[in-house]
Amino acid sequence: MGRRTPGPHLEEDVTAESPAAPEPEVLAAFEAAKGFMPLREGLALYAAASDAAALGLPLLEVGTYCGRSTILLAAAARAAGVTALTVDHHRGSEEQQPGWEYHDPSVVDPEVGLMDTLPAFRRTLFAAGLEEHVVALVGRSPQVAAVWGGQLGFVFIDGGHTDEHAGGDYEGWAPKVAEGGLLVIHDVFPDPADGGQAPYRVHQRALESGAFTEIAVTDSLRVLRRTGTGV
């Protein structure tokens, strides 16, 4: 997760053009949903998804939780006539387990004693009226990536925040970003005082690959466009 309040080391939005904005009812659903993404970053995510949707390819996020950010991707997909895909095992990331900062006992399945955010996610999409624009891929990211053969216009990495999980998300999904498509990474904190470093290391890896060029920064959200081959 990383810290959710922008600190003094975080950069401001550097986009030059006026970005696309979600409809008021979409924004209201986003703000009402359980989750961690701040409004500024949510608006930047929607703008990036709207940009990428013009390619006519699916939009995918890794890390669904209860569907807060999924609302924005689904709305962008609906407007463009494409599909939003969201990947999660729905058992919670390492930071959401009992005893950790982001644990929420209301999303624990009492029968099995494990987190299960899938019902909350479904309720979120139903309340937003966006169910038909989303395909939920329930499973672990590397396994799902291994069987997904198509190209994607947009990949949003916001799953587990260890090097193993963030690196696996990048290795599994970044190769599937089409030419001109966008790779978006959340919780990128260049200064360790602001948050965990695994997403930052993935961000640096993407830049160093020569395959991606950064086009926008909003607090901890980084937007990169595929401008070359490889990962």
Side-chain angles (χ1 to χ4, degrees), residues 10 17 21 28 42 76 85 113-114 132 144 158 206 214 223 228:
L10 302 183
E17 299 179 358
L85 310 168
L114 298 174
E132 65 184 275
V144 179
D158 191 26
E214 188 166 276
V223 181

Side-chain angles (χ1 to χ4, degrees), residues 35-80:
F36 307 102
M37 175 166 280
L39 176 60
R40 268 174 52 87
E41 293 180 343
L43 293 173
L45 179 69
Y46 179 85
S50 297
D51 177 343
L55 292 175
L57 295 169
L59 315 176
L60 178 138
E61 72 172 346
V62 181
T64 311
Y65 191 53
C66 296
R68 183 176 170 94
S69 58
T70 315
I71 290 172
L72 302 176
L73 301 191
R78 176 177 63 183

Side-chain angles (χ1 to χ4, degrees), residues 84-209:
L85 310 168
T86 186
V87 181
D88 202 310
H89 49 67
H90 289 280
R91 293 301 189 195
S93 69
E94 60 282 348
E95 298 154 299
Q96 295 164 358
Q97 303 309 315
W100 289 81
E101 181 179 3
Y102 293 102
H103 180 63
D104 182 349
S106 73
V107 291
V108 172
D109 182 340
E111 289 194 21
V112 301
L114 298 174
M115 289 187 62
D116 185 0
T117 56
L118 185 56
F121 160 69
R122 297 201 67 176
R123 288 192 294 268
T124 295
L125 285 189
F126 176 80
L130 291 166
E131 283 186 298
E132 65 184 275
H133 302 285
V134 179
V135 173
L137 302 170
V138 181
R140 297 192 175 274
S141 172
Q143 292 175 299
V144 179
V147 298
W148 180 266
Q151 288 191 313
L152 299 163
F154 177 96
V155 167
F156 175 41
I157 296 179
D158 191 26
H161 286 61
T162 63
D163 283 308
E164 176 188 1
H165 293 133
D169 293 340
Y170 177 78
E171 291 165 8
W173 294 107
K176 304 179 191 300
V177 177
E179 181 180 355
L182 297 183
L183 173 67
V184 181
I185 307 170
H186 196 210
D187 293 325
V188 175
F189 298 105
D191 190 324
D194 292 322
Q197 293 293 284
Y200 173 70
R201 284 188 279 270
V202 165
H203 169 258
Q204 293 299 295
R205 181 176 173 182
L207 292 178
E208 291 165 4
S209 73

